[in-house]
Amino acid sequence: LCAHPDLCEKVAKLKELTKDSQEEQSRAGLQSMEGEELANFTQMNNSYREKFKFPFILAVRNATKYTVLSALEGRLPNTPEKEIAAAMEQVHKIAWMRILTKYYSASYPGFLTCHILDTANGCPAAKMRISLTRLSPPESAGIVCEF
């Protein structure tokens, strides 16, 4: 978690970011914050880092700066244990969104999604191992990744 890029930094200053991270942060509009909005975000971000000892992590691919600000404000009161779990969930969400982007193809219409349900309890299943497997074409069939 500590190695994750800080959302508060300008993308231009973070040349070591992956292309995916640069695009996601740019799309969220984080670099367009100014004045009071930027000061508020910076203050909350610094409070978060001081409290939890790692940067605020959020899957920002489909987020706006308002979503990011709201999530940061909402997660600041968390306990360290709850926040580590929330941050890890976001890391997994980032990875999942990137996999969807890399493996979506116009020649295979549709949107890949995965929901594992605990039907006995009527809620999302926890601690399930998931394997993403490509079935075709035969020359590239096999396990793509595992979660």
Side-chain angles (χ1 to χ4, degrees), residues 96-120:
W96 184 249
M97 291 170 140
R98 288 180 182 175
I99 288 169
L100 290 176
T101 301
K102 300 286 187 225
Y103 290 98
Y104 177 79
S105 168
S107 60
Y108 301 104
F111 183 78
L112 176 63
T113 183
C114 180
H115 301 277
I116 309 298
L117 299 176
D118 177 345
T119 55

Side-chain angles (χ1 to χ4, degrees), residues 49-101:
R49 187 180 273 284
E50 185 177 315
K51 179 177 181 178
F52 298 113
K53 309 297 185 227
F54 57 86
F56 177 68
I57 300 170
L58 184 70
V60 296
R61 181 173 293 269
N62 298 317
T64 66
K65 63 183 175 183
Y66 306 108
T67 307
V68 176
L69 288 166
S70 178
L72 178 54
E73 184 175 24
R75 286 172 44 193
L76 258 171
N78 282 350
T79 63
E81 295 78 17
K82 186 173 181 180
E83 190 51 33
I84 287 170
M88 290 302 295
E89 181 178 325
Q90 290 300 309
V91 169
H92 290 149
K93 188 173 181 180
I94 292 165
W96 184 249
M97 291 170 140
R98 288 180 182 175
I99 288 169
L100 290 176
T101 301

